[in-house]
Structures are given as structure tokens and as C-alpha cells.
Amino acid sequence: MKALILVGGFGTRLRPLTFTKPKPLVDFANRPMILHQIEALAKIGVTDVVLAVNYQPQAMLVAMAEVEEKFNIKIHFSIESEPLGTAGPIALARDILAKNDAPFFVLNSDVICEFPFEEMIAFHKAHGKEGTLMTTPVEDPTKYGVVVLKEGTSQIDRFVEKPKEYVGNHINAGIYIFNPSMIKRISPKPTSIEKEVFPFMAQDGQLFATPLEGFWADVGQPKDFLTGSALYLASVHTKTPDILKVGDGIVGNVLVDPSCEIGPNCVIGPNVVLGPKTKIGAGVRIANAVVMEGSVVRDNAYIKDSIVGWSSSVGKWSRLENITVLGEDVHISDEVFVNGACVLPHKSVSASVRTQGVIIM
């Protein structure tokens, strides 16, 4: 089987983390984001994975070579000379995706869930048409494009963009499976699969939907990254709770790399991820946050609703909150308050930032 992952370009929504690392390699739950998808695909027998990218950084080449060896799969880079949207990359990768009659997956790279691919394949084969998309329920469907099914069936009737009246609450989850025959609907030019392909597939009776069980998150920007991290940890707590940290000072779901050092009298959690070689000083309080590899949080610091990028440090008695994001190699001095700021890589902050939304360059 084959799969295409829509990686895209420079990951601008997840800056400042993506200034120094390609978005697919940004750590989510202590593993590169894209590894969650590739591992799930490899488990169900996918042998070829196409990464649709606008550019090909050397770091990706090195990382994917290791992934190929680990999972015994072939990773192909499909490089777009111009951004091709969400459908154009499928046509560009035609030679790989249509090399045989087996169906292929298409995934948005920002999506994190439990990836029930086996169930999706069975559903797709059972209805026998060209395409299947996964849907997920949302609380407020007026913000999204809603998938409307033909009554009493799983066949998609139409899509309603940001409905003013209630027509349903299931939206496109960004995970698809197609027969190779659908590629004839697309040219290798900038094309939206949601607006220029799916409506016509639905019109022809060739598109079906299956609801995604469990959690779903688009983690392409910092606030959603933290929300997705919490949902992921809740799923881990249900399925493999042994990998979560327990003990004095641990509150709720906390994932800690074995190489992390935590000082005395800390309160960590809920919804916290501490990366490899991180050091947490005495009396530290961390909640709903991610501290990435090689970072240091000094005594009595407070971190909430924030992301600390790689090899950064947070000083004694300092406070980060309200979706503060530190890029790689950022250093916060002692007794500094950072309130919802974005700090670019290789910067030092020695004075408090009280106004939300500030970008420190």
C-alpha cells in the first residue's frame, strides 16, 4: 500500500519552533510529529510514503533516511515548484500512487489522532467506491465546512461551508483513502481537494464518510498543539498508561523522558510533556505545557499553557503563561514574567513582557 502526507511549506503557523526545525520534525509527545503518522502507516503494511513538500531541507533527508531503515519503508520526496494546494500533490505523485490498483492514503501532516487505518480500509473496500474520508464531530460547526450525508447512509451528499443553520456537526478530519482511479480527476496544478474535487466526487456518488473514533486534533499552531498534546495524553492514559509518569508531585497525565531530571518539591501536570535531557529545578510548577529536549527550568519557575523549545532555559522564579512559545536556544532571566509572547530562536529575555501577542525578535 501507499500513502501521501501533505507536508507543505515552512510551517509558519507553528513559528518560532519551525524557524530552526522543519515542521514534520517538531517534537510532539517527544517524537517527531510526522513519525506518529508514518509508524501507524507502516503497521498496516504501507510500503511507500510520499512527502509532498514545497522545499526539501537537509534535516528532513537525514531524518527520513533513519525512518526508512527503522520501519522498512520507502519515503519519496515530491517537491512542488509552486504550492499545489491539497489536491495537486496527488497528481504530481501519480507514478507512485497509481503504480498498482491498491488504494492509497492521503493525510494532512498536522493531524494527530489514533489513526484507525485498518478499520478505514475495511470500510472503504466494503462500499467499493472511489473515496473515503474520515470525519470528526465539533462543538461549533459554524466555523467549519460540514459533511452532510444522504439520509440513512454513509454516502456524502454535499458539503456546507460554515453553515448558519444546523445541518450536522461532522467535519473533514484530513484523513482520506482513495482508489487510484480518482487521480484522473486532478491535474498537477494548484487545486483544493475540498472545493474542487470532493464536491464532484460526491455528486457522482463516489465519496463516502466514516466517523473517526477517539480524539482528533490539528496541531499546526501553538494553542492547538497544546490542546492536541492534552488529548493525546488522555488517549495514552486509556490505552498504555504505564508510559505515563506517576508519583509525588505528579498531577494528571504527564509524559516524561527517562533522561529528564526533576528536582524536589515540584508539581508537574496535568497535561505536561518533558523531553529528553531536560532538567527541572526544585519547587517548579508546570501545567499544560511542553518542555523540549535539552531545556532547563530553574528553581521555583512557573510554566503554564506554554511551549519551551529545544535547548532553552527559564530562570529562577520566572513565569511563562498564556501561550508563550520559546524558540530554540531562548534564555529567560530570573524573575521575569512572559505573558503570551513569541520569542524567536537564540534570544535572551531579561525584562518582563506583560502584553500578550508580543513577538521578540
Side-chain angles (χ1 to χ4, degrees):
M1 290 188 70
K2 306 140 294 186
L4 181 141
I5 301 177
L6 298 165
V7 175
F10 294 93
T12 54
R13 295 191 305 153
L14 203 51
R15 287 176 175 169
L17 299 174
T18 51
F19 275 123
T20 55
K21 191 168 283 197
K23 183 180 66 174
L25 301 185
V26 170
D27 299 313
F28 182 87
N30 287 341
R31 302 165 71 210
M33 198 183 300
I34 202 167
L35 197 59
H36 293 268
Q37 298 182 333
I38 291 175
E39 182 178 34
L41 290 166
K43 278 183 179 178
I44 54 99
V46 169
T47 55
D48 290 88
V49 176
V50 180
L51 303 183
V53 296
N54 298 158
Y55 77 119
Q56 188 178 32
Q58 184 64 27
M60 279 288 288
L61 290 174
V62 173
M64 292 303 102
E66 295 173 0
V67 169
E68 282 184 322
E69 187 174 347
K70 180 176 181 180
F71 294 109
N72 192 29
I73 59 173
K74 177 64 179 173
I75 293 179
H76 311 263
F77 284 87
S78 180
I79 303 174
E80 305 162 18
S81 57
E82 62 175 330
L84 294 178
T86 50
I90 296 173
L92 190 64
R94 179 191 311 269
D95 290 348
I96 298 167
L97 300 178
K99 68 178 183 180
N100 55 38
D101 292 334
F104 62 90
F105 289 97
V106 175
L107 289 76
N108 290 342
S109 67
D110 294 344
V111 168
I112 292 289
C113 62
E114 293 172 0
F115 300 116
F117 291 137
E118 285 187 342
E119 295 86 346
M120 193 176 185
I121 293 169
F123 175 83
H124 180 75
K125 289 181 176 178
H127 68 67
K129 302 299 183 182
E130 277 188 349
T132 298
L133 65 83
M134 277 200 155
T135 62
T136 187
V138 293
E139 290 184 8
D140 183 6
T142 62
K143 297 178 181 178
Y144 303 91
V146 174
V147 179
V148 181
L149 304 180
K150 290 193 173 181
E151 191 171 351
T153 76
S154 56
Q155 183 179 335
I156 295 175
D157 181 56
R158 67 192 189 279
F159 299 86
V160 181
E161 189 65 28
K162 297 181 180 177
K164 295 180 179 178
E165 296 182 358
Y166 185 84
V167 294
N169 70 334
H170 277 254
I171 66 167
N172 177 357
I175 302 172
Y176 322 122
I177 187 169
F178 299 120
N179 294 339
S181 60
M182 73 81 64
I183 300 178
K184 68 180 182 293
R185 297 176 178 269
I186 309 168
S187 298
K189 63 181 183 180
T191 312
S192 165
I193 199 168
E194 297 87 354
K195 296 178 180 178
E196 299 175 73
V197 179
F198 283 167
F200 297 101
M201 291 180 70
Q203 203 173 74
D204 295 343
Q206 291 293 326
L207 192 59
F208 283 66
T210 182
L212 173 66
E213 300 294 332
F215 81 99
W216 174 89
D218 178 330
V219 296
Q221 52 191 353
K223 183 179 179 180
D224 297 332
F225 188 95
L226 290 171
T227 299
S229 183
L231 292 170
Y232 176 85
L233 293 175
S235 175
V236 170
H237 177 76
T238 300
K239 295 181 177 296
T240 53
D242 291 350
I243 71 173
L244 297 177
K245 182 80 170 175
V246 294
D248 292 342
I250 301 298
V251 180
N253 298 325
V254 176
L255 181 66
V256 179
D257 187 88
S259 61
C260 170
E261 299 176 16
I262 301 176
N265 303 316
C266 292
V267 180
I268 310 293
N271 304 323
V272 170
V273 177
L274 302 179
K277 301 175 185 176
T278 49
K279 294 183 179 180
I280 312 300
V284 168
R285 177 70 174 103
I286 306 177
N288 196 42
V290 174
V291 181
M292 294 185 175
E293 182 173 1
S295 289
V296 176
V297 181
R298 306 196 192 282
D299 297 352
N300 302 305
Y302 177 95
I303 301 174
K304 184 180 181 183
D305 301 328
S306 296
I307 301 171
V308 177
W310 310 271
S311 304
S312 294
S313 64
V314 179
K316 296 178 181 179
W317 295 102
S318 285
R319 184 181 185 99
L320 312 182
E321 59 185 17
N322 290 329
I323 319 297
T324 288
V325 185
L326 308 185
E328 184 172 9
D329 184 37
V330 168
H331 302 285
I332 308 298
S333 298
D334 295 346
E335 301 180 26
V336 166
F337 173 41
V338 184
N339 181 28
C342 171
V343 186
L344 273 59
H346 315 301
K347 302 296 178 185
S348 295
V349 180
S350 57
S352 292
V353 182
R354 300 183 181 277
T355 304
Q356 284 186 254
V358 169
I359 298 174
I360 300 176
M361 303 176 70

